[in-house]
Amino acid sequence: MVQEEIRRHNVGTLLRHVHLGGSVSRTELAARMKLNRSTILALTTELTAAGLVREELPADTGRAGRPSLVVRPESERVYVLAFDVAVDRLVAARITLGGIMLDRREAVRPRAGADLDRVVEVLARFGHQLYEAAPATSVCVGVGASYCGMIRPGDGMVRFGPDLGWVDQAFGAELDRRLGLGLPVSVGNEAHLGALAEQLRGAGVGFQNLIYLHGDVGVGGGIIVGGNLLDGESGYGCELGHMVVNPYNGRPCGCGSHGCLEAEAGERALLDAAGRPAESFGRDAVRAVVDDADRGDPAAQEALRRIGDWLGIGVANLCNLFNPGMVIFGGMLRDLYPGAAAQVRARIAANVLPVARERVRLRTSALGDDATLVGAAELGFSDLLADPLGVLTRTGA
Amino acid sequence: MVQEEIRRHNVGTLLRHVHLGGSVSRTELAARMKLNRSTILALTTELTAAGLVREELPADTGRAGRPSLVVRPESERVYVLAFDVAVDRLVAARITLGGIMLDRREAVRPRAGADLDRVVEVLARFGHQLYEAAPATSVCVGVGASYCGMIRPGDGMVRFGPDLGWVDQAFGAELDRRLGLGLPVSVGNEAHLGALAEQLRGAGVGFQNLIYLHGDVGVGGGIIVGGNLLDGESGYGCELGHMVVNPYNGRPCGCGSHGCLEAEAGERALLDAAGRPAESFGRDAVRAVVDDADRGDPAAQEALRRIGDWLGIGVANLCNLFNPGMVIFGGMLRDLYPGAAAQVRARIAANVLPVARERVRLRTSALGDDATLVGAAELGFSDLLADPLGVLTRTGA
C-alpha cells in the first residue's frame, strides 16, 4: 500500500465517522482511528477546506471549563439524491451528509404494468424538483437508488424484477440519462440496502454480522458478514426468500419453483392462510390480519402461527449458516413479526445448535419503510466516502 | 494506518505470495502487490535475512538471456505441526512453509469412546516424534489443529463435538500443554479448514466466494465470502448440515431436531436408503453403495438418487444465499457426488434464481482426505504470515 492510498483511506474514514456520528470530537476521532492528534488535525483541516466538515463548539456539556471542539458534517451544503422503487410506491429524497432527510417526494406505484420508461420518468421528475429546490450553495455528490429486484453491480441493470416483470432493464443507465446531473447512479437491491441502512443507522448499529429480512410481495434479504454486505460472486447473494423449506409439499412460488420461504411465509401465504380473498394484497391487508389476530380471531391467529413457523424455519437455517448477532424483520414482516415471534423463537430453540444461538437478537426494523431509501442514500454517499477530495474535484464543487 | 503497520502488512503479504506460489519472481511480486521494485527488493532482503525466503535462479525457462531471480520459501527450515482429529483417524504432520508435507503419523480413531486425555495423548506423542525428527537447523513457527466439531475461536475449546460426545472440552489448551513447545495451538473446525485449504491449495484457488461441504458421520461446511472464511458473531457459522430441509417429515438428526440436511443427505441416510444394516458405517460402506450403483444395483441407484435430491436442495439453498463461484464436495461427499450429480444439478436448475446460478461450478475436493490437515497447517502459519518478523523474534529463531 502506498502513501497516497493511506491518506485517501484516512480522509475517507474520518469523514465516514463524522457522517455516521453526526458530531465527533477530535479526541474521539483519534481514539477510533488509532491515529495521533496532529494527523487528525491535518485530516480535519483538509476536509474543512473542502467544505465537507466544520468544527464548532459542542452543545452545552454541563461541565465547567473550555469544551473541546467537535467535528460536524456540512449537512446544509452536501447531499445526495436517493430513490426507492418499492412494490407499492416510488420515492425520492434529498438526504444530507450526516443523514438528514431534508426533502421528499412520493407517488403510489401500481402493483403491475409500470414499464421502465414510466418509472424513470416519475423518479427523474422528482429528482429535478429536489435538485431545483436545493440551496444554490449546496452540492449534490451522488445518486443512489433502491430497486425491488436483482441488480447487476456496476451499471444498475435490473436482471430480474419479478413484481414488475422486468428482465434485463437498464434502470441505472436510464435514470442517469434522464436525471442528466453528470453523476453516476448507483443502484442496489432493496433488501441489501435495508440491511446496510439498519446496520449504519438503525437497529443493527455496531453489529458486524446481521441478517435483514424484507417482506412485501416477496421475501428478500440483506446479509452483513464481517461488516460487509454479502454480495457473492456476481452480486446476487442473499436471496433467502428462495431458500427451499418445503420441497415436496410446498406452495408454488413466483420464481417458478415450490416450497420457497417466500411462498410459505410471504404476503400471499399469510392472506391465504387467514382465508382472505384472492384479490386482497398489500400492507393494509397484512395489517388487517395482524389486527384481527390481536382481537382474538382464531383464523387470523392460526394464520400467524402457521406463517410464523415457516418464518422460524427460515430464520433458524440462517442462524445455523451465519451465526448472526442480530436478525431484523423489515417491510411487512415488521408488522407480522410480533404476532409470530413465539413460533420463530421456538424454531430457533429447536433447530439452531445451542452455541450458534447464544448471542442472536431478534428485532424489528428501526427505520421502518424508510430503511431502503436510507440505504439508497448511503449507497449514493459511498464514492464520496471512499475518496472525498477526489469526488469533490470531479463534481466541480 | 501508520507506517509500521503498513510495513508489517507488506512483509506478510509478500511472504504469503511466496508461501502459496512456491516460486515467484520479484517482477511478479511487484505486479501482484502494486508496489515498485525497490520496495519489493527491500522486503525480500528483510525476509531473506530472517531466513524465511531465499532467491535463486529459476528452473530453465527455455529462453535465452539472463533469467531474473525467483523468490522461494525456506521450506527446509521453516515448518508447522498440523493435527487432524477426524471421525475415523488421528493425524499429525510436519508441513513446511510453501506447503510441502515432509513427515506424517496416523492412527485409527474409534468412532466413540475417546476422551480428551486419550486423543491429546496420541496427538502429542506424534507431535513430539515429528519435532524430534526435524533437522536441528529447522524452526517450528506454529501449530494448527482441525477438529470435527464446533470450536471456540481464540482458545480452541471444543464447544460441541457430536461424534465423540464432547461438550466444552479444552482441546486447544490441553494439546498446547502436552506439546510443551511454547507455541500457541490454533484450532479450527474441520470443514472450515477444508474450505480454506481448497481455496488456497485445492479446487478453489482464485475463488473469493466458495462453499465446501464436508460429509462424514455428519455434514459440515466451510464458506468463503469475499475471500474470508465466514465465522459469524462468535465463530459458529457455516453449520449447513443443520439447515432444515424437511421440517414436517424429516428423519431424526444427531442434533436433536428433525429434517436437517445432515439427517437427509448424510452417511446414515444413504446407508438406510440403500438397505444396508444399521450397524454398517464409514467411508468403506459409503463406497460400497456407490460401487453397487455403478454396477447397476437398483436399490443403490435409487438411494443415490434420493440422497442426491436432498443434497441438491441444500446446495440450491446455499447458491441462492451465497451466489458462490464454486461448490466443493469433500469427505464422503467426494465419493457420493459423482453418482448424485444429476440430481444436484436438477435442483440447482429448478430452485436457484437464474442470475445466481450463471457462474457456479461444482467440483469434488482436490485435496481429498488431506484437505482438513492442509487447512490446519495454514491455520498454523497464520500468525507467521500476519507478522513474519515479529513471530520469528518471539520463537527465538
Side-chain angles (χ1 to χ4, degrees):
Chain A
M1 211 179 300
V2 292
Q3 208 63 39
E4 178 50 31
E5 278 179 78
I6 297 158
R7 190 179 133 279
R8 195 158 58 222
H9 172 81
N10 284 339
V11 170
T13 303
L14 194 153
L15 185 59
R16 183 180 301 274
H17 281 297
V18 172
H19 170 60
L20 294 175
S23 158
V24 192
S25 72
R26 276 197 219 148
T27 312
E28 179 63 26
L29 287 166
R32 289 197 205 164
M33 293 176 65
K34 296 188 183 113
L35 294 172
N36 61 40
R37 291 177 61 102
S38 65
T39 308
I40 295 293
L41 175 61
L43 296 169
T44 309
T45 303
E46 268 194 285
L47 286 167
T48 305
L52 289 168
V53 305
R54 64 197 144 91
E55 295 192 276
E56 59 182 34
L57 285 170
D60 187 4
T61 59
R63 287 187 300 185
R66 196 169 65 99
S68 71
L69 295 176
V70 294
V71 184
R72 287 183 181 282
E74 277 285 8
S75 296
E76 276 151 49
R77 181 168 181 267
V78 183
Y79 72 92
V80 295
L81 294 178
F83 298 95
D84 187 7
V85 180
V87 294
D88 55 357
R89 63 195 183 281
L90 301 172
V91 194
R94 185 159 70 84
I95 297 181
T96 70
L97 190 66
I100 303 159
M101 196 179 301
L102 288 181
D103 199 353
R104 178 189 175 111
R105 302 284 186 280
E106 180 166 336
V108 170
R109 205 211 81 185
R111 275 246 160 159
D115 65 8
L116 177 67
D117 195 57
R118 173 71 188 139
V119 167
V120 171
E121 189 271 321
V122 173
L123 294 181
R125 179 158 41 83
F126 285 167
H128 290 137
Q129 290 170 0
L130 294 166
Y131 189 81
E132 296 302 325
T137 54
S138 64
V139 52
C140 181
V141 295
V143 182
S146 165
Y147 186 91
C148 49
M150 297 176 89
I151 306 301
R152 184 162 69 195
D155 66 356
M157 170 80 81
V158 175
R159 296 296 313 278
F160 183 49
D163 71 311
L164 282 172
W166 288 13
V167 173
D168 290 339
Q169 296 284 304
F171 173 63
E174 192 56 19
L175 183 56
D176 186 351
R177 192 183 70 77
R178 290 281 275 269
L179 281 171
L181 297 175
L183 289 167
V185 176
S186 302
V187 186
N189 165 277
E190 64 175 353
H192 295 194
L193 295 179
L196 198 65
E198 291 291 341
Q199 188 208 17
L200 297 177
R201 300 187 180 277
V205 168
F207 281 80
Q208 300 299 301
N209 298 281
L210 70 80
I211 295 173
Y212 172 78
L213 289 99
H214 187 95
D216 269 313
V217 179
V219 175
I223 303 176
I224 309 279
V225 172
N228 299 309
L229 185 70
L230 186 160
D231 49 10
E233 194 66 9
S234 33
Y236 308 121
C238 304
E239 285 292 338
L240 53 86
H242 299 287
M243 175 165 53
V244 178
V245 289
N246 194 11
Y248 289 126
N249 303 292
R251 290 166 53 92
C253 182
C255 74
S257 180
H258 288 76
C260 301
L261 180 63
E262 167 172 320
E264 304 294 347
E267 178 185 298
R268 192 69 256 149
L270 177 74
L271 298 175
D272 287 352
R276 304 297 151 118
E279 63 275 16
S280 66
F281 69 86
R283 203 64 69 82
D284 290 342
V286 170
R287 285 189 188 127
V289 176
V290 172
D291 290 345
D292 288 352
D294 286 343
R295 284 189 212 102
D297 173 2
Q301 288 177 337
E302 176 53 29
L304 275 183
R305 269 196 295 272
R306 194 186 308 175
I307 278 19
D309 191 49
W310 286 114
L311 187 61
I313 290 166
V315 170
N317 286 354
L318 295 168
C319 288
N320 276 319
L321 286 168
F322 292 97
N323 183 207
M326 183 175 279
V327 178
I328 302 171
F329 299 92
M332 74 91 179
L333 293 176
R334 186 160 171 261
D335 299 314
L336 184 152
Y337 177 69
Q343 277 67 40
V344 173
R345 287 181 199 282
R347 275 290 176 184
I348 290 176
N351 292 111
V352 183
L353 296 170
V355 300
R357 65 174 191 253
E358 280 168 348
R359 292 173 66 176
V360 66
R361 298 174 203 195
L362 307 177
R363 295 281 185 278
T364 52
S365 159
L367 300 170
D369 287 342
D370 276 342
T372 48
L373 190 66
V374 169
E378 295 302 330
L379 188 61
F381 275 116
S382 55
D383 280 355
L384 181 77
L385 297 177
D387 181 13
L389 309 173
V391 165
L392 280 196
T393 306
R394 287 197 292 280
T395 57
Chain B
M1 214 179 297
V2 293
Q3 207 63 40
E4 179 49 31
E5 279 178 77
I6 297 159
R7 191 179 133 279
R8 195 157 58 221
H9 172 82
N10 284 340
V11 171
T13 302
L14 194 153
L15 185 59
R16 183 181 300 274
H17 282 296
V18 173
H19 170 61
L20 294 174
S23 159
V24 192
S25 73
R26 276 197 220 148
T27 311
E28 179 62 27
L29 288 167
R32 289 197 206 165
M33 294 176 65
K34 298 188 182 108
L35 293 172
N36 61 41
R37 290 177 61 102
S38 65
T39 307
I40 295 294
L41 174 61
L43 296 170
T44 308
T45 304
E46 267 194 284
L47 287 167
T48 304
L52 290 167
V53 305
R54 66 198 144 90
E55 294 192 275
E56 61 182 31
L57 285 172
D60 188 3
T61 59
R63 287 185 301 185
R66 194 170 67 102
S68 69
L69 295 175
V70 295
V71 185
R72 286 185 182 281
E74 277 285 9
S75 297
E76 276 152 49
R77 181 167 180 267
V78 183
Y79 72 91
V80 295
L81 293 178
F83 298 95
D84 186 7
V85 180
V87 295
D88 55 0
R89 62 195 185 281
L90 301 173
V91 193
R94 185 158 69 86
I95 297 182
T96 70
L97 190 66
I100 303 159
M101 197 179 301
L102 288 182
D103 199 355
R104 178 189 175 111
R105 302 284 187 283
E106 180 165 336
V108 170
R109 203 211 82 185
R111 274 247 160 160
D115 64 7
L116 176 67
D117 195 57
R118 173 71 188 139
V119 168
V120 170
E121 189 271 322
V122 174
L123 294 181
R125 178 158 42 82
F126 285 167
H128 290 137
Q129 290 170 1
L130 294 167
Y131 189 81
E132 296 302 325
T137 54
S138 64
V139 52
C140 181
V141 296
V143 182
S146 167
Y147 186 91
C148 49
M150 299 176 88
I151 306 301
R152 184 161 70 195
D155 65 358
M157 169 80 80
V158 175
R159 294 298 312 280
F160 182 48
D163 71 311
L164 282 172
W166 289 13
V167 173
D168 291 339
Q169 297 283 304
F171 172 63
E174 191 56 19
L175 182 56
D176 185 352
R177 192 183 69 77
R178 290 280 275 269
L179 281 171
L181 298 175
L183 288 166
V185 175
S186 301
V187 186
N189 165 277
E190 65 175 351
H192 296 194
L193 295 178
L196 198 66
E198 291 290 341
Q199 188 209 15
L200 297 176
R201 300 189 180 276
V205 168
F207 281 80
Q208 300 299 301
N209 297 282
L210 70 80
I211 296 173
Y212 172 78
L213 290 97
H214 187 94
D216 268 312
V217 180
V219 176
I223 303 175
I224 309 279
V225 173
N228 298 309
L229 184 71
L230 186 159
D231 50 9
E233 194 66 9
S234 32
Y236 309 122
C238 305
E239 284 293 338
L240 52 85
H242 299 285
M243 174 164 55
V244 178
V245 288
N246 193 12
Y248 289 126
N249 304 294
R251 289 167 53 93
C253 182
C255 74
S257 181
H258 288 75
C260 300
L261 180 62
E262 166 173 320
E264 304 294 346
E267 179 186 297
R268 192 69 257 150
L270 177 74
L271 297 175
D272 287 351
R276 304 298 151 119
E279 63 274 17
S280 67
F281 69 86
R283 202 64 70 82
D284 290 342
V286 170
R287 285 188 187 128
V289 175
V290 172
D291 289 345
D292 288 352
D294 285 344
R295 284 188 212 104
D297 173 2
Q301 288 177 337
E302 175 54 27
L304 275 182
R305 268 197 295 274
R306 195 187 305 178
I307 276 22
D309 191 49
W310 287 114
L311 187 61
I313 291 167
V315 171
N317 286 354
L318 294 168
C319 288
N320 276 319
L321 286 169
F322 291 98
N323 184 207
M326 182 174 280
V327 178
I328 302 171
F329 299 91
M332 74 93 181
L333 292 176
R334 185 160 171 260
D335 299 314
L336 183 153
Y337 176 70
Q343 278 65 42
V344 173
R345 288 182 198 281
R347 275 291 176 183
I348 290 176
N351 292 113
V352 182
L353 296 170
V355 300
R357 65 173 189 252
E358 280 167 349
R359 293 172 65 175
V360 67
R361 298 176 203 193
L362 307 177
R363 295 283 185 278
T364 51
S365 160
L367 300 169
D369 287 344
D370 276 343
T372 49
L373 190 67
V374 169
E378 295 303 328
L379 188 62
F381 275 116
S382 56
D383 280 355
L384 181 77
L385 297 176
D387 180 14
L389 308 174
V391 164
L392 280 197
T393 306
R394 287 199 292 283
T395 57

